[in-house]
Amino acid sequence: MGGTQKKKFERGSATNYITRNRARKKLQLSLPDFRRLCILKGIYPHEPKHKKKVNKGSTAPRTFYLLKDIRFLLHEPIVAKFREYKIFVRKLRKAYGKTEWSAVERLKENKPTYKLDHIIKERYPSFIDALRDIDDALCMCFLFSTFARTGKCHVQTITLCRRLTVEWMNYVIASRSLRKVFISIKGIYYQAEVMGQLITWLVPYQFSHDHPTDVDYRVMATFTELYTTLLGFVNFRLYHSLNLVYPPKKLAALSASLARVVSTAEEEDAQLDQFPTEEEDLEKAEAREKEQVQLETQKKIFEGLKFFLNREVPRESLAFVIRCFGGNVSWDKSVCIGSTYDVTDETITHQIVDRPNVDKRYINRYYIQPQWVYDCVNAKVLLPVEDYFLGVTLPPHLSPFVEEKDGDYVPPEKLKIMALQRGERPEDEEEEEEDDEEDDEEENEDDEDEAEEKNLKEMEKQKSQGKSLQVKVTPGKMKVENPVRLEQEEKAEEKRLAIMMMKKKEKYLYDKIMFGKKRKIREANKLAAKRKAFDDEEKAKKKKTKN
Amino acid sequence: MEQRSAMKKVREKTKRKTKEVEEEEREELFNLNNKAAEKDEEDDDLSDSEDSEYSGLEDSGSDSEDEEEESGDVEEDDAGSNEDHDKQNQQTKVKNNKNKKGTTEGKQEKKEDEYEHDTSDEEDIRNTVGNIPMEWYKDFPHIGYDLDGKKIFKPIRNKDELDEFLDKMENPDYWRTVHDKQTGRDIVLSDEQVDLVNRLQRGQFGDINFNEYQPTVEFFSSDVMIHPVTNRPADKRSFIPSLIEKEKVSKLVHAIKMGWIKPRRVQDDSKDRYYDLWASEDSSILAKHRMHLPAPKVPLPGHEESYNPPPEYLFTEEEKAVWEQQDPEDRKLPFIPKKFSSLRHVPAYSRFIHEKFERCLDLYLCPRQRKMRVNVNPEDLIPKLPKPKDLQPFPTTQSLVYRGHSSLVRSISVSPSGQWLASGSDDGSVRFWEVCSARCMKTVQVGGAVKSIAWNPNPALCLLAVAVDSSVLILSPSLGDKLVVSSSERLLAGSQEDNPSEGPEPVVWSETEGEELKEGIHLKIQHPKAVHQVTWHAKGDYLASVMPDNSSHLQVFIHQLSRRRSQNPFRRNKGLVQSVAFHPIRPFFFVATQRYVRIYNLVKQEMTKKLQANSKWISNIAVHPGGDHVICGSYDCKLSWFDLDLSTKPYKVLRHHKRAVRSVAYHKGYPLFASASDDGTVIVCHGTVFNDLLQNPLIVPVKVLRGHVITHDLGVLDVTFHPTQPWIFSSGADATIRLFT
């Protein structure tokens, strides 16, 4: 036959991928350096579609990089810097060994450094790209800013992280872009909308960490190196978008506003413009408008309120949240610098307290627990303060990130909040009881049906026994046929028969989908049942105490 | 004087002994033991180590003759000194008494008292020659010098080999006698000493009372003790500020003040470090970005992660136990939901750094792949079929139940007129029912489990074939039209034809008499093996019977009723025959083995087709009245529809049943077919066959009929349609027959 013999694995997907070890050899880097390079440049392994083809017929587990990615790394200037640094370390060690202190001094002065600016620019060609990817950067910087200065990483990194996160928080305050807050057992989640991007970050509670031993801090430090650079540039850009100077001065207390934010009125005017829309879009437009209005009210939710934070509440978080929504906030002078007014100020409307009781009370202010602030933000309305007074069992704190679809379980507290949002007043428990009665009635109906069925079964039994069939005529009962129910049954049967005729492949897919759906329903039912049991228990307890 | 001093010495010694014997015995014994142990091993080094080893024994043996009184066991060679001995003994006794009385001796004695309790004198050697080989003294009468520099004399009589031998033979204590080279004496070991030696040789501790396995007392354990290990009070210096440090600090402060020490230069590049990186945005997309797969974001938290979640999200005890047992990968939630009454109670999350680290690992280590997720509406997957309502008529409800059998009803058959129903059961009876009234018209006992029953399809005859054990009975039920009954009986009686038998026939035709004839059983066709199925040809003259047997070619017989002749159409065994059927119009014969259905042309005597059922074990087949389609049910829950014009593979395989399919049937007039299964259901399907060859049959399931009760894992055993009406009969293991209309 004509033509040359084609060898296997020399064309197609096998040539597009390269294993990690080969990549490392190609780049002539040690494994730690390769790892650093991958982290900084954002290179990650790819899972090939046909692993066996790429792996040259073997099924051994291997990680593959795209060959193009590795080629792209070849020309990275930072690789040269890595090598320089390696040589620097070698020279320094030698100088130390020979106790040539002048040489040590000289070497230290000329320590090779590198910048990541070009990498940031390359990874995020536009500012929006950078914003989209800033979640992880924020989380990591907030974590590092809480580290103690005890050798897990450089002190400069910690201070830099602290500075950048404070700058970020101040930007969020100034631009009023915080949307949701959630106190979880891990920490406090915040969600802000910056330039149309939803950015979520998690801040750990202010405790010292007990550092785990099975965590490689070098990896985290490399990531932080990249993230601080990214966050710095993003902050710069964001501050400039608000016509503010970057870097700002003295912000750590989160009390002083950056500058009187320039003319928000103008922006509002711009937003209120309406464009001629088609009729179909009218509804959407209306919905959007409504949302816009809601957003505006949410932004000003704490405006005109004056808060005072007791020393036991998480000051930074609360100050951040309150100021994001236009409230005034202060704290005791001894807690932190930057307090603007004292406890004795008569104009304070809310004092946030997290202890069983307070010795000295002022009449004209509410003493509330910190959850109120967060719940108000999430509900977008000022919630009634009665549920959050001192010593009161708090209502559950719900995640604002959950959006329930049809058929999902919705906790009753959420329903209440939704009712409040619609402007309905919370009604008394009587209604609930009525509901209960209705339920009972329904149950009764069900019971009747069941009884009927039982009777029928018994009759059948008697028939089947044959001999014991009594020759006795009982007055017949009119069987009321429910036409709706009949129709439903018919339809259900039709569907069942049609499902029987499905092809095997489709049946498998269908079964899988239905299984998922059923599991969802089952989980929702389980939650509902658990809730019901809990409520019943509560009710029983109440009755007992009443009696 | 000399005597006196000597006496004093002796006194001293004895005194010392009485006090110290108990104390020193232990040491002695130890040393002895050492010797014994070492003697075994190193005979060469004996001379070097001897001295020190024997040193402890010196107490007892060093002072030549004087002190043997301590133990009567010690052999005294020197008989001459016995008298002296006695004297001394007496004296020592006296002295002891004196001591007891509290009388004090001279100054010398007091001086000596100092050494009384001095137990550290292991070097206290009576023989002062030191650590030398003792053979150096072998030519001298003495073997060394005592502390006063006087000679220690050898025992007078040395033992020669003969003595040694005699001693060995006669002395019962010879085995425990040890020779002390330094004093030249033999020492007989006491029982305790021997015991000690034995114990040490066994590697045990010398002291009997010593417990090797005492419970250990841990001083430095994880438990915090209430008292300090050392009771030392803290130093004073730990309470007062250090002066030296103060000096050092003040020096440093001074140096800083004077500007001698400068703080480390910190690069303050915060001004120019950041700039507007995206000032000139270029939208050039690098090659890398085309393949870029952005990492998925961290999923947002749900209600269960709240510090104060609604009560339904908290784990119950069981859920908690399950969570703890699961592997971390299998857990739905990576944490246990917790409820705190207020914010100040919330602790730090212990896995925070872990989780962030894992996220980092995911970002740079986890292989990424683009996966297309298809969003399918499950309703779209359901095929659009014509509504069952439009395909009526078909049986929908159970209208009659025929009761009477006492065991499972294996087979039923409807008369061609549709008026009568015959059923055969395991209770050994054949019952005839009137279809419309469910009345049992007649019961015939056939004396065995009825495996199969078939009504002759010829409407001019009223005959029934019944398979009982290894025979097929031809039964005339004498129901209905008298003309028909008489004609059929005539047929059975009239056809008397003796066919010349060629050798031993496998099948024997016989006529019945007496009781059986009265019951209606006219003919009996005796088979060599148990018959499982009988079926009639459409004309009603031929009858096929099946005897499944894997090892023989005698599995199927075709009988001709009019000529009372039987023949075995097959020469070779092609597998276990499950079911057979005649083609309704043409001379074809269907034979279903375990996996295949073979179609034979009876005229040409050849196989025309072989259908592959794609199932493990066929249970039953039925042929469409048109003759071009076959359905076969199988024990692996499948029902296959074959279009004979189309292919030898099934046109459609229906997996409607959950259990084995036992029986299948076509309706003679309506486009209906049904399958009965062990799951207790009968499924009726609509199956239109079009005359146009291009159009495939339309198969729609129209009704699932339930009613039979599953007994002994058996559900419905047989199913058959009414010949004219859209009715269906089914017989089950619950000993009933049901009619669905």
Side-chain angles (χ1 to χ4, degrees):
Chain A
M1 306 294 277
T4 51
Q5 195 186 356
K6 279 169 185 166
K7 280 186 183 169
K8 254 184 166 181
F9 310 124
E10 285 193 352
R11 289 171 307 130
S13 55
T15 53
N16 290 338
Y17 293 93
I18 185 169
T19 62
R20 189 177 64 173
N21 230 16
R22 277 181 57 211
R24 203 176 57 72
K25 273 184 188 148
K26 190 172 181 125
L27 294 170
Q28 300 187 359
L29 285 173
S30 66
L31 195 58
D33 275 347
F34 179 69
R35 187 172 63 201
R36 256 187 16 212
L37 191 64
C38 284
I39 292 171
L40 295 178
K41 293 282 282 182
I43 305 293
Y44 43 85
H46 283 252
E47 183 80 9
K49 232 178 187 176
H50 303 290
K51 203 158 184 195
K52 209 172 164 189
K53 265 186 204 168
V54 173
N55 214 350
K56 307 204 168 157
S58 149
T59 48
R62 280 208 185 96
T63 48
F64 291 97
Y65 288 85
L66 277 184
L67 191 64
K68 272 184 187 169
D69 283 354
I70 300 300
R71 283 219 190 98
F72 165 77
L73 288 180
L74 272 176
H75 310 290
E76 178 56 45
I78 225 164
V79 177
K81 289 285 179 190
F82 285 165
R83 296 198 182 112
E84 263 177 44
Y85 193 83
K86 196 171 72 184
I87 290 159
F88 159 75
V89 169
R90 199 185 294 155
K91 281 180 179 167
L92 196 69
R93 204 186 302 132
K94 203 175 263 178
Y96 265 116
K98 290 179 177 172
T99 61
E100 290 171 348
W101 303 121
S102 60
V104 168
E105 202 75 1
R106 193 192 68 238
L107 281 169
K108 272 189 176 169
E109 258 168 33
N110 296 321
K111 184 179 170 184
T113 55
Y114 54 86
K115 283 194 162 185
L116 299 173
D117 306 5
H118 65 285
I119 290 181
I120 301 283
K121 182 75 206 260
E122 186 187 276
R123 283 183 71 170
Y124 308 108
S126 70
F127 180 57
I128 293 296
D129 293 334
L131 268 185
R132 236 177 252 154
D133 220 15
I134 209 159
D135 285 14
D136 288 316
L138 279 170
C139 284
M140 193 62 99
C141 286
F142 269 103
L143 171 65
F144 266 67
S145 68
T146 59
F147 277 0
R149 303 174 181 200
T150 49
K152 282 291 168 199
C153 60
H154 292 296
V155 176
Q156 288 99 312
T157 317
I158 295 170
T159 48
L160 181 61
C161 282
R162 175 76 189 145
R163 200 193 97 194
L164 289 170
T165 50
V166 169
E167 280 168 12
W168 169 263
M169 286 203 285
N170 274 298
Y171 167 75
V172 172
I173 291 171
S175 62
R176 297 263 175 109
S177 47
L178 192 69
R179 292 289 172 271
K180 289 167 179 176
V181 198
F182 177 50
I183 323 171
S184 83
I185 52 174
K186 294 183 183 173
I188 303 177
Y189 286 88
Y190 299 95
Q191 192 173 59
E193 193 179 352
V194 179
M195 306 208 161
Q197 300 296 324
L198 280 178
I199 294 162
T200 318
W201 70 95
L202 171 63
V203 182
Y205 290 116
Q206 293 280 341
F207 291 107
S208 63
H209 301 275
D210 50 341
H211 290 281
T213 49
D214 52 344
V215 163
D216 188 356
Y217 278 90
R218 285 174 304 174
V219 171
M220 303 241 291
T222 315
F223 267 103
T224 314
E225 201 181 343
L226 176 80
Y227 286 155
T228 48
T229 320
L230 171 64
L231 193 56
F233 283 119
V234 167
N235 276 350
F236 187 94
R237 178 85 179 207
L238 287 174
Y239 273 66
H240 278 254
S241 72
L242 288 182
N243 284 335
L244 296 171
V245 183
Y246 187 87
K249 298 232 157 36
K250 288 187 186 173
L251 291 166
L254 287 178
S255 62
S257 44
L258 287 171
R260 305 292 147 234
V261 176
V262 230
S263 61
T264 46
E266 279 175 30
E267 282 176 33
E268 275 168 35
D269 282 346
Q271 280 164 356
L272 285 174
D273 276 352
Q274 274 189 3
F275 297 98
T277 48
E278 287 175 33
E279 278 187 21
E280 283 175 23
D281 289 343
L282 209 61
E283 275 184 26
K284 275 187 193 170
E286 268 176 20
R288 215 183 302 141
E289 208 172 291
K290 208 176 167 186
E291 214 168 84
Q292 196 68 35
V293 170
Q294 207 181 20
L295 194 66
E296 286 307 316
T297 51
Q298 192 203 3
K299 275 184 185 174
K300 293 172 187 164
I301 192 171
F302 292 143
E303 227 153 66
L305 301 182
K306 238 177 163 184
F307 290 88
F308 188 84
L309 309 181
N310 253 27
R311 56 175 64 247
E312 70 273 7
V313 296
R315 186 194 59 82
E316 194 174 282
S317 167
L318 278 166
F320 172 57
V321 172
I322 291 167
R323 294 211 47 236
C324 272
F325 295 95
N328 284 323
V329 66
S330 179
W331 47 83
D332 199 272
K333 259 183 233 158
S334 57
V335 174
C336 185
I337 52 158
S339 74
T340 44
Y341 45 85
D342 220 10
V343 206
T344 49
D345 196 333
E346 292 289 322
T347 54
I348 291 172
T349 54
H350 293 80
Q351 184 163 348
I352 300 175
V353 183
D354 196 5
R355 54 172 81 177
N357 51 4
V358 180
D359 300 335
K360 195 183 174 191
R361 292 209 187 197
Y362 293 84
I363 299 167
N364 56 349
R365 67 177 75 157
Y366 293 121
Y367 286 86
I368 46 166
Q369 301 196 40
Q371 197 190 319
W372 181 77
V373 175
Y374 300 107
D375 280 353
C376 284
V377 168
N378 292 336
K380 299 175 187 171
V381 283
L382 283 182
L383 294 171
V385 284
E386 297 88 45
D387 300 340
Y388 298 89
F389 280 155
L390 289 195
V392 169
T393 346
L394 290 169
H397 180 63
L398 298 174
S399 167
F401 303 114
V402 181
E403 273 162 21
E404 280 93 355
K405 282 171 237 148
D406 286 350
D408 285 355
Y409 173 73
V410 187
E413 286 83 11
K414 180 117 183 178
L415 295 174
K416 241 184 233 173
I417 288 171
M418 275 152 77
L420 271 177
Q421 280 171 343
R422 270 179 264 126
E424 295 164 17
R425 293 302 308 160
E427 281 154 44
D428 294 338
E429 286 179 8
E430 282 171 31
E431 200 191 30
E432 280 178 25
E433 276 171 26
E434 275 173 31
D435 283 348
D436 285 353
E437 277 168 30
E438 276 172 29
D439 286 346
D440 289 346
E441 277 170 30
E442 274 175 32
E443 276 170 25
N444 285 345
E445 276 176 29
D446 287 343
D447 287 348
E448 276 171 28
D449 286 352
E450 274 176 27
E452 222 168 272
E453 272 175 37
K454 248 186 197 172
N455 278 343
L456 275 177
K457 266 187 188 169
E458 271 174 28
M459 293 214 339
E460 177 100 330
K461 246 187 200 171
Q462 281 180 354
K463 267 187 200 169
S464 66
Q465 280 161 2
K467 288 169 198 166
S468 61
L469 192 68
Q470 295 159 345
V471 188
K472 192 176 151 192
V473 181
T474 47
K477 254 188 196 174
M478 272 286 283
K479 201 183 176 189
V480 187
E481 283 191 342
N482 190 349
V484 182
R485 204 167 177 179
L486 266 179
E487 202 176 315
Q488 274 179 355
E489 272 173 17
E490 208 166 276
K491 268 201 176 155
E493 170 135 32
E494 239 171 65
K495 201 176 160 187
R496 238 180 294 137
L497 290 169
I499 286 167
M500 285 201 317
M501 281 305 283
M502 263 178 163
K503 280 177 194 158
K504 205 175 175 184
K505 213 169 170 186
E506 285 175 351
K507 181 85 192 296
Y508 176 73
L509 186 62
Y510 180 82
D511 280 348
K512 229 171 143 184
I513 295 171
M514 293 320 272
F515 177 77
K517 276 189 171 176
K518 269 179 195 160
R519 190 178 48 196
K520 234 180 194 175
I521 292 167
R522 208 168 46 227
E523 268 163 23
N525 287 345
K526 198 177 156 196
L527 283 176
K530 255 168 127 182
R531 178 63 183 227
K532 197 166 176 254
F534 178 82
D535 284 348
D536 288 349
E537 210 173 283
E538 289 290 295
K539 245 183 210 173
K541 264 187 201 168
K542 249 187 208 171
K543 268 185 190 170
K544 254 188 193 174
T545 49
K546 263 184 197 173
N547 293 341
Chain B
M1 269 302 287
E2 276 186 41
Q3 259 206 340
R4 277 200 70 174
S5 66
M7 292 217 335
K8 252 179 216 165
K9 226 180 278 169
V10 170
R11 214 184 305 141
E12 236 173 72
K13 287 256 167 71
T14 45
K15 213 194 219 169
R16 215 179 131 178
K17 224 160 268 157
T18 47
K19 294 212 172 176
E20 286 182 1
V21 153
E22 303 100 289
E23 294 169 21
E24 289 191 354
E25 197 159 33
R26 191 178 296 172
E27 281 172 40
E28 270 171 50
L29 292 172
F30 269 117
N31 288 328
L32 250 181
N33 157 68
N34 277 347
K35 179 210 132 194
E38 249 166 81
K39 220 172 186 176
D40 301 331
E41 296 167 9
E42 25 180 328
D43 288 309
D44 324 359
D45 299 341
L46 210 73
S47 54
D48 296 339
S49 53
E50 268 169 353
D51 279 11
S52 57
E53 273 149 20
Y54 293 146
S55 60
L57 278 176
E58 296 306 318
D59 290 329
S60 54
S62 63
D63 226 344
S64 54
E65 308 99 42
D66 315 342
E67 46 92 73
E68 260 63 50
E69 74 271 22
E70 63 148 22
S71 62
D73 300 332
V74 175
E75 261 200 355
E76 190 49 56
D77 318 23
D78 195 356
S81 65
N82 269 348
E83 295 159 328
D84 275 350
H85 233 271
D86 291 344
K87 260 189 203 169
Q88 280 162 9
N89 257 349
Q90 281 172 358
Q91 278 185 354
T92 46
K93 271 176 195 166
V94 171
K95 285 291 165 197
N96 279 346
N97 289 342
K98 272 184 187 173
N99 268 353
K100 274 177 193 168
K101 281 169 193 166
T103 55
T104 50
E105 287 275 290
K107 278 176 190 176
Q108 280 185 341
E109 276 184 286
K110 264 189 185 170
K111 247 185 195 171
E112 302 293 330
D113 274 350
E114 290 182 340
Y115 300 101
E116 252 184 339
H117 301 287
D118 189 5
T119 56
S120 69
D121 54 351
E122 283 185 291
E123 299 300 317
D124 184 14
I125 301 163
R126 295 302 117 82
N127 193 347
T128 56
V129 291
N131 189 10
I132 53 156
M134 289 313 282
E135 54 260 35
W136 290 354
Y137 278 91
K138 69 181 175 195
D139 296 337
F140 295 99
H142 61 279
I143 49 169
Y145 305 92
D146 65 3
L147 282 173
D148 296 333
K150 286 182 182 150
K151 284 177 181 170
I152 304 170
F153 289 98
K154 280 182 187 170
I156 287 163
R157 213 188 77 200
N158 277 327
K159 282 181 185 173
D160 53 9
E161 275 182 27
L162 192 64
D163 286 335
E164 194 82 24
F165 178 72
L166 286 174
D167 211 14
K168 199 175 177 181
M169 287 316 199
E170 288 163 4
N171 190 357
D173 284 335
Y174 177 79
W175 62 273
R176 59 163 87 189
T177 312
V178 186
H179 181 71
D180 183 357
K181 272 189 185 167
Q182 212 151 25
T183 55
R185 277 171 197 287
D186 289 340
I187 302 157
V188 175
L189 302 181
S190 67
D191 280 349
E192 293 96 64
Q193 284 169 329
V194 170
D195 191 31
L196 178 71
V197 169
N198 282 339
R199 241 179 304 126
L200 289 172
Q201 271 179 335
R202 263 180 270 131
Q204 289 170 337
F205 278 90
D207 189 2
I208 295 181
N209 300 323
F210 184 76
N211 182 10
E212 301 172 58
Y213 303 109
Q214 269 170 347
T216 52
V217 180
E218 276 186 45
F219 284 103
F220 302 102
S221 65
S222 59
D223 307 325
V224 178
M225 291 190 281
I226 49 165
H227 301 298
V229 175
T230 61
N231 206 12
R232 195 163 151 274
D235 289 320
K236 184 182 176 185
R237 65 169 177 271
S238 64
F239 296 105
I240 51 174
S242 158
L243 268 179
I244 299 165
E245 274 177 17
K246 189 184 165 193
E247 252 170 45
K248 267 186 191 168
V249 170
S250 64
K251 262 184 194 168
L252 285 173
V253 168
H254 183 65
I256 291 168
K257 268 185 192 164
M258 299 302 285
W260 298 334
I261 297 179
K262 279 180 188 128
R264 205 177 290 153
R265 193 185 54 191
V266 178
Q267 287 178 328
D268 188 29
D269 56 351
S270 56
K271 269 268 187 288
D272 345 310
R273 189 166 178 179
Y274 301 116
Y275 51 91
D276 195 355
L277 190 67
W278 293 281
S280 58
E281 289 197 3
D282 53 342
S283 55
S284 65
I285 297 166
L286 286 160
K288 178 186 166 277
H289 290 284
R290 258 183 283 140
M291 288 293 282
H292 181 58
L293 312 170
K297 293 202 169 188
V298 181
L300 291 169
H303 297 313
E304 61 279 346
E305 207 181 309
S306 167
Y307 87 103
N308 181 15
E312 61 268 32
Y313 287 97
L314 294 172
F315 278 175
T316 57
E317 289 300 317
E318 301 98 64
E319 279 170 328
K320 206 173 175 183
V322 168
W323 188 91
E324 272 160 5
Q325 275 185 352
Q326 274 173 331
D327 285 338
E329 294 91 51
D330 300 340
R331 288 172 183 164
K332 247 183 191 177
L333 285 178
F335 53 87
I336 299 177
K338 275 183 201 150
K339 195 181 181 90
F340 298 97
S341 58
S342 67
L343 191 55
R344 69 171 186 279
H345 293 308
V346 183
Y349 184 61
S350 58
R351 284 192 54 79
F352 197 94
I353 294 178
H354 270 120
E355 281 185 3
K356 282 284 148 291
F357 178 61
E358 274 155 22
R359 172 72 181 166
C360 288
L361 291 186
D362 281 353
L363 283 177
Y364 90 96
L365 269 185
C366 188
R368 299 186 196 169
Q369 188 178 36
R370 183 162 278 135
K371 272 201 175 153
M372 305 304 281
R373 181 161 285 174
V374 206
N375 249 340
V376 184
N377 184 10
E379 299 302 318
D380 295 346
L381 291 172
I382 298 172
K384 296 278 167 290
L385 293 174
K387 280 191 176 178
K389 231 183 214 172
D390 307 336
L391 300 173
Q392 272 168 344
F394 54 83
T396 51
T397 49
Q398 177 184 316
S399 47
L400 283 175
V401 182
Y402 302 82
R403 295 178 205 279
H405 282 295
S406 59
S407 184
L408 38 102
V409 185
R410 282 211 188 265
S411 182
I412 48 175
S413 182
V414 192
S415 73
S417 62
Q419 196 182 357
W420 312 108
L421 172 70
S423 64
S425 161
D426 267 10
D427 60 4
S429 66
V430 175
R431 278 171 188 262
F432 296 90
W433 316 81
E434 194 181 23
V435 168
C436 300
S437 63
R439 243 181 96 182
C440 181
M441 302 300 288
K442 197 175 174 184
T443 309
V444 180
Q445 294 296 336
V446 291
V450 179
K451 286 277 169 359
S452 177
I453 194 165
W455 211 293
N456 192 325
N458 188 354
L461 294 173
C462 182
L463 286 178
L464 202 70
V466 181
V468 181
D469 294 338
S470 63
S471 59
V472 175
L473 311 177
I474 307 295
L475 219 138
S476 168
S478 51
L479 290 170
D481 201 345
K482 269 190 182 165
L483 268 177
V484 173
V485 171
S486 60
S487 72
S488 52
E489 277 178 6
R490 213 178 313 126
L491 174 77
L492 291 175
S495 54
Q496 295 275 5
E497 187 182 308
D498 272 325
N499 39 338
S501 58
E502 307 129 10
E505 282 274 323
V507 177
V508 180
W509 290 69
S510 62
E511 286 191 12
T512 55
E513 294 151 355
E515 193 69 15
E516 283 186 331
L517 190 63
K518 221 179 262 173
E519 290 229 297
I521 303 172
H522 286 261
L523 279 176
K524 205 174 201 176
I525 310 170
Q526 193 66 37
H527 286 68
K529 275 164 286 187
V531 181
H532 273 240
Q533 196 211 347
V534 282
T535 181
W536 288 95
H537 185 254
K539 293 269 170 59
D541 194 24
Y542 287 98
L543 171 76
S545 61
V546 178
M547 304 164 287
D549 180 10
N550 222 351
S551 55
S552 152
H553 69 282
L554 287 175
Q555 294 198 74
V556 181
F557 276 103
I558 297 179
H559 313 282
Q560 194 179 9
L561 194 63
S562 54
R563 297 171 69 185
R564 298 202 183 170
R565 222 172 54 172
S566 302
Q567 62 171 341
N568 172 22
F570 305 117
R571 224 170 300 143
R572 253 192 285 158
N573 171 22
K574 291 269 175 84
L576 198 65
V577 176
Q578 296 296 314
S579 179
V580 295
F582 284 100
H583 194 281
I585 311 157
R586 286 196 278 172
F588 286 163
F589 189 55
F590 297 82
V591 178
T593 54
Q594 267 187 37
R595 285 170 179 250
Y596 302 100
V597 179
R598 292 184 173 82
I599 306 169
Y600 295 94
N601 190 331
L602 291 173
V603 175
K604 287 185 185 169
Q605 304 221 332
E606 63 180 17
M607 191 174 82
T608 50
K609 227 167 224 175
K610 187 177 162 192
L611 308 177
Q612 245 180 338
N614 285 350
S615 55
K616 296 267 159 56
W617 198 310
I618 295 171
S619 61
N620 197 357
I621 57 167
V623 186
H624 191 266
D628 280 346
H629 302 266
V630 175
I631 48 174
C632 68
S634 68
Y635 289 114
D636 50 354
C637 322
K638 283 186 213 163
L639 182 124
S640 327
W641 174 296
F642 294 94
D643 190 337
L644 297 184
D645 297 334
L646 203 65
S647 158
T648 56
K649 300 258 167 61
Y651 157 64
K652 203 148 239 182
V653 178
L654 310 174
R655 290 178 197 79
H656 296 168
H657 288 286
K658 301 273 185 302
R659 307 280 298 272
V661 177
R662 288 268 165 192
S663 173
V664 289
Y666 271 112
H667 197 280
K668 283 218 171 67
Y670 292 100
L672 290 174
F673 65 93
S675 56
S677 156
D678 273 350
D679 57 7
T681 60
V682 175
I683 294 180
V684 181
C685 299
H686 178 93
T688 318
V689 175
F690 300 97
N691 286 331
D692 184 3
L693 280 177
L694 289 176
Q695 209 166 356
N696 287 328
L698 170 78
I699 299 171
V700 184
V702 287
K703 189 72 193 170
V704 180
L705 300 169
R706 288 165 214 281
H708 284 285
V709 184
I710 298 169
T711 38
H712 307 302
D713 273 350
L714 293 173
V716 189
L717 294 174
D718 198 9
V719 70
T720 181
F721 277 102
H722 191 274
T724 49
Q725 298 292 329
W727 298 348
I728 191 166
F729 301 92
S730 66
S731 71
D734 55 350
T736 60
I737 302 157
R738 284 161 201 257
L739 169 64
F740 299 91
T741 55

